[in-house]
Amino acid sequence: MATVTVTIDGKAYRMACDEGQEEHLAGLAARFDQYVSHLKTSFGEIGDLRLTVMAGIMVVDELAELQQRIKGLENEAETLRRSRDEALASADRNDALLTDMLSDMATRIEQAAGRILPASGNS
């Protein structure tokens, strides 16, 4: 287990993390410190615990918004997948119809040619 010392609101905190996660944890702490610093600038000295709780609520609020956006994007992606599948099925039906029509036309042309060619051979 690795340890990292992070700084939140000017105070150092020693934290444990998995090996190789040190930079990630330090980055998370730096982002959280930005929330705390923003609140401290906005509200002044209102107590460490209150600042921390408010910053935590801001982070959770941001997370909730991002989760809603992800859900919306997932729904949009599903709608696009269904539209794509419907378009492909329609294209397959159109291809089958066109193939049948072309086959029918080829048969008719062959029949017409069969009627014309013997008649021209008698002249």
Side-chain angles (χ1 to χ4, degrees), residues 73-109:
L73 290 171
E74 287 172 341
N75 290 339
E76 186 177 334
E78 181 57 32
T79 299
L80 290 171
R81 274 192 284 279
R82 277 196 304 272
S83 294
R84 178 207 58 207
D85 291 346
E86 290 169 6
L88 289 172
S90 178
D92 287 345
R93 286 190 300 273
N94 289 340
D95 285 350
L97 279 172
L98 185 58
T99 300
D100 289 345
M101 290 173 66
L102 289 173
S103 177
D104 186 48
M105 287 178 71
T107 301
R108 288 181 187 189
I109 291 170

Coordinates of all heavy atoms in Angstrom, one line a residue, residues 73-109:
L73 N -27.4 10.5 -22.7 CA -26.6 10.1 -23.9 C -26.8 8.6 -24.2 O -26.8 8.2 -25.3 CB -25.1 10.4 -23.6 CG -24.7 11.8 -23.6 CD1 -23.3 12.0 -23.1 CD2 -24.9 12.5 -25.0
E74 N -26.9 7.8 -23.1 CA -27.2 6.3 -23.3 C -28.5 6.1 -24.0 O -28.7 5.3 -24.9 CB -27.1 5.6 -22.0 CG -25.7 5.4 -21.4 CD -25.7 4.8 -20.0 OE1 -26.8 4.9 -19.3 OE2 -24.7 4.3 -19.6
N75 N -29.5 6.9 -23.6 CA -30.9 6.8 -24.2 C -30.8 7.3 -25.7 O -31.4 6.7 -26.5 CB -31.9 7.7 -23.4 CG -32.2 7.1 -22.1 OD1 -32.0 5.9 -21.8 ND2 -32.7 7.9 -21.2
E76 N -30.1 8.3 -25.9 CA -29.9 8.8 -27.3 C -29.2 7.8 -28.1 O -29.6 7.6 -29.3 CB -29.1 10.2 -27.3 CG -29.0 10.8 -28.6 CD -28.3 12.2 -28.6 OE1 -28.3 12.8 -27.5 OE2 -27.7 12.5 -29.6
A77 N -28.1 7.2 -27.6 CA -27.4 6.1 -28.3 C -28.3 5.0 -28.6 O -28.3 4.4 -29.7 CB -26.2 5.7 -27.5
E78 N -29.2 4.6 -27.7 CA -30.1 3.5 -27.9 C -31.1 3.8 -29.0 O -31.4 3.0 -29.9 CB -30.8 3.1 -26.6 CG -31.8 1.9 -26.8 CD -31.1 0.7 -27.3 OE1 -30.0 0.4 -27.0 OE2 -31.8 -0.1 -28.0
T79 N -31.6 5.1 -29.0 CA -32.5 5.5 -30.0 C -31.8 5.5 -31.4 O -32.4 5.0 -32.4 CB -33.0 6.9 -29.7 OG1 -33.7 6.9 -28.5 CG2 -33.9 7.5 -30.8
L80 N -30.6 5.9 -31.4 CA -29.8 5.9 -32.7 C -29.6 4.5 -33.2 O -29.7 4.2 -34.4 CB -28.5 6.6 -32.6 CG -28.6 8.2 -32.4 CD1 -27.2 8.8 -32.0 CD2 -29.1 8.8 -33.7
R81 N -29.3 3.6 -32.2 CA -29.1 2.1 -32.6 C -30.4 1.6 -33.2 O -30.4 0.9 -34.2 CB -28.7 1.3 -31.4 CG -27.2 1.3 -31.1 CD -26.8 0.2 -30.1 NE -27.1 0.6 -28.8 CZ -26.4 1.4 -28.0 NH1 -25.3 1.9 -28.4 NH2 -26.8 1.7 -26.8
R82 N -31.5 1.9 -32.6 CA -32.8 1.4 -33.1 C -33.1 2.0 -34.5 O -33.5 1.2 -35.4 CB -34.0 1.7 -32.1 CG -34.1 0.8 -31.0 CD -35.5 0.9 -30.3 NE -35.8 2.2 -29.8 CZ -35.4 2.7 -28.6 NH1 -34.8 2.0 -27.8 NH2 -35.7 3.9 -28.3
S83 N -32.8 3.3 -34.6 CA -33.0 3.9 -36.0 C -32.1 3.3 -37.0 O -32.6 3.0 -38.1 CB -32.7 5.4 -35.9 OG -33.7 6.1 -35.0
R84 N -30.9 3.0 -36.7 CA -30.0 2.4 -37.6 C -30.5 1.0 -38.0 O -30.5 0.6 -39.1 CB -28.6 2.3 -37.0 CG -27.6 1.6 -37.8 CD -26.4 0.9 -37.1 NE -27.0 -0.1 -36.1 CZ -26.3 -0.4 -35.0 NH1 -25.2 0.1 -34.7 NH2 -26.9 -1.3 -34.2
D85 N -30.9 0.2 -37.0 CA -31.4 -1.1 -37.2 C -32.6 -1.1 -38.1 O -32.7 -1.9 -39.0 CB -31.7 -1.9 -35.9 CG -30.4 -2.2 -35.1 OD1 -29.3 -2.1 -35.7 OD2 -30.6 -2.5 -33.9
E86 N -33.5 -0.2 -37.9 CA -34.7 0.0 -38.7 C -34.3 0.4 -40.1 O -34.9 -0.2 -41.1 CB -35.7 1.0 -38.1 CG -36.3 0.5 -36.8 CD -37.1 1.6 -36.1 OE1 -37.2 2.8 -36.6 OE2 -37.6 1.4 -35.0
A87 N -33.4 1.3 -40.3 CA -32.9 1.7 -41.6 C -32.3 0.5 -42.4 O -32.5 0.3 -43.6 CB -31.9 2.9 -41.5
L88 N -31.5 -0.3 -41.6 CA -30.8 -1.4 -42.3 C -31.9 -2.5 -42.7 O -31.8 -3.0 -43.8 CB -29.8 -2.1 -41.3 CG -28.5 -1.3 -41.1 CD1 -27.7 -1.9 -40.0 CD2 -27.7 -1.1 -42.4
A89 N -32.9 -2.7 -41.8 CA -33.9 -3.6 -42.2 C -34.7 -3.1 -43.4 O -35.0 -3.9 -44.3 CB -34.9 -3.8 -41.0
S90 N -35.0 -1.8 -43.4 CA -35.7 -1.2 -44.6 C -34.9 -1.4 -45.8 O -35.4 -1.7 -46.9 CB -36.0 0.2 -44.3 OG -36.6 0.8 -45.4
A91 N -33.6 -1.1 -45.7 CA -32.7 -1.2 -46.9 C -32.7 -2.7 -47.4 O -32.7 -2.9 -48.6 CB -31.3 -0.8 -46.5
D92 N -32.7 -3.6 -46.5 CA -32.7 -5.1 -46.9 C -34.0 -5.4 -47.6 O -34.0 -6.1 -48.6 CB -32.5 -6.0 -45.6 CG -31.1 -6.0 -45.1 OD1 -30.2 -5.5 -45.8 OD2 -30.9 -6.4 -43.9
R93 N -35.1 -4.9 -47.1 CA -36.4 -5.1 -47.7 C -36.4 -4.5 -49.1 O -36.9 -5.1 -50.1 CB -37.6 -4.5 -46.9 CG -37.9 -5.4 -45.7 CD -39.2 -4.9 -45.0 NE -39.2 -3.5 -44.6 CZ -38.7 -3.1 -43.4 NH1 -38.2 -4.0 -42.5 NH2 -38.7 -1.9 -43.0
N94 N -35.9 -3.2 -49.2 CA -35.8 -2.6 -50.5 C -34.9 -3.3 -51.5 O -35.3 -3.5 -52.7 CB -35.3 -1.1 -50.4 CG -36.4 -0.2 -49.7 OD1 -37.6 -0.6 -49.7 ND2 -35.9 0.9 -49.2
D95 N -33.8 -3.8 -51.0 CA -32.9 -4.6 -51.9 C -33.6 -5.9 -52.4 O -33.5 -6.2 -53.5 CB -31.6 -5.0 -51.1 CG -30.7 -3.9 -50.9 OD1 -30.9 -2.8 -51.5 OD2 -29.7 -4.1 -50.1
A96 N -34.4 -6.5 -51.5 CA -35.1 -7.8 -51.9 C -36.1 -7.4 -52.9 O -36.3 -8.2 -53.9 CB -35.7 -8.4 -50.7
L97 N -36.9 -6.3 -52.7 CA -37.9 -5.9 -53.7 C -37.3 -5.6 -55.0 O -37.8 -6.0 -56.1 CB -38.7 -4.7 -53.2 CG -39.8 -5.0 -52.2 CD1 -40.3 -3.6 -51.6 CD2 -40.9 -5.7 -52.9
L98 N -36.2 -4.9 -55.0 CA -35.5 -4.5 -56.2 C -35.0 -5.7 -57.0 O -35.1 -5.8 -58.2 CB -34.3 -3.5 -55.9 CG -33.6 -2.9 -57.1 CD1 -34.5 -2.2 -58.1 CD2 -32.5 -2.0 -56.7
T99 N -34.4 -6.6 -56.2 CA -33.9 -7.9 -56.8 C -35.1 -8.7 -57.5 O -34.9 -9.2 -58.6 CB -33.2 -8.8 -55.7 OG1 -32.1 -8.0 -55.2 CG2 -32.7 -10.1 -56.3
D100 N -36.2 -8.7 -56.8 CA -37.4 -9.4 -57.4 C -37.9 -8.7 -58.6 O -38.2 -9.4 -59.6 CB -38.5 -9.5 -56.3 CG -38.2 -10.5 -55.2 OD1 -37.3 -11.3 -55.3 OD2 -38.9 -10.4 -54.2
M101 N -37.9 -7.4 -58.6 CA -38.4 -6.6 -59.7 C -37.4 -6.8 -60.9 O -37.9 -7.0 -62.1 CB -38.5 -5.1 -59.4 CG -39.6 -4.8 -58.5 SD -39.7 -3.1 -57.9 CE -40.0 -2.2 -59.4
L102 N -36.1 -6.8 -60.7 CA -35.1 -7.0 -61.7 C -35.2 -8.4 -62.3 O -35.1 -8.6 -63.5 CB -33.7 -6.7 -61.2 CG -33.4 -5.2 -60.9 CD1 -32.0 -5.1 -60.3 CD2 -33.5 -4.4 -62.2
S103 N -35.4 -9.3 -61.5 CA -35.6 -10.7 -61.9 C -36.8 -10.9 -62.8 O -36.8 -11.5 -63.8 CB -35.6 -11.7 -60.7 OG -35.8 -13.0 -61.1
D104 N -37.9 -10.3 -62.3 CA -39.2 -10.3 -63.1 C -39.0 -9.6 -64.5 O -39.4 -10.1 -65.5 CB -40.3 -9.6 -62.3 CG -41.6 -9.7 -63.0 OD1 -42.0 -10.9 -63.4 OD2 -42.4 -8.7 -63.0
M105 N -38.3 -8.5 -64.5 CA -38.1 -7.7 -65.7 C -37.2 -8.6 -66.6 O -37.4 -8.6 -67.9 CB -37.4 -6.4 -65.4 CG -38.3 -5.4 -64.9 SD -37.5 -3.8 -64.5 CE -37.2 -3.2 -66.1
A106 N -36.2 -9.2 -66.1 CA -35.3 -10.0 -66.9 C -36.1 -11.2 -67.6 O -35.9 -11.5 -68.7 CB -34.1 -10.6 -66.1
T107 N -37.0 -11.8 -66.8 CA -37.8 -12.9 -67.3 C -38.7 -12.4 -68.5 O -38.8 -13.0 -69.5 CB -38.7 -13.5 -66.2 OG1 -37.8 -14.0 -65.2 CG2 -39.6 -14.6 -66.7
R108 N -39.3 -11.2 -68.3 CA -40.2 -10.6 -69.3 C -39.4 -10.3 -70.5 O -39.8 -10.5 -71.7 CB -40.9 -9.3 -68.8 CG -41.9 -9.6 -67.8 CD -42.6 -8.3 -67.3 NE -43.5 -8.6 -66.2 CZ -44.3 -7.6 -65.8 NH1 -44.3 -6.4 -66.3 NH2 -45.1 -7.9 -64.8
I109 N -38.2 -9.7 -70.4 CA -37.3 -9.4 -71.5 C -37.0 -10.6 -72.3 O -37.0 -10.7 -73.5 CB -36.1 -8.6 -71.1 CG1 -36.5 -7.2 -70.6 CG2 -35.0 -8.5 -72.2 CD1 -35.4 -6.4 -69.9

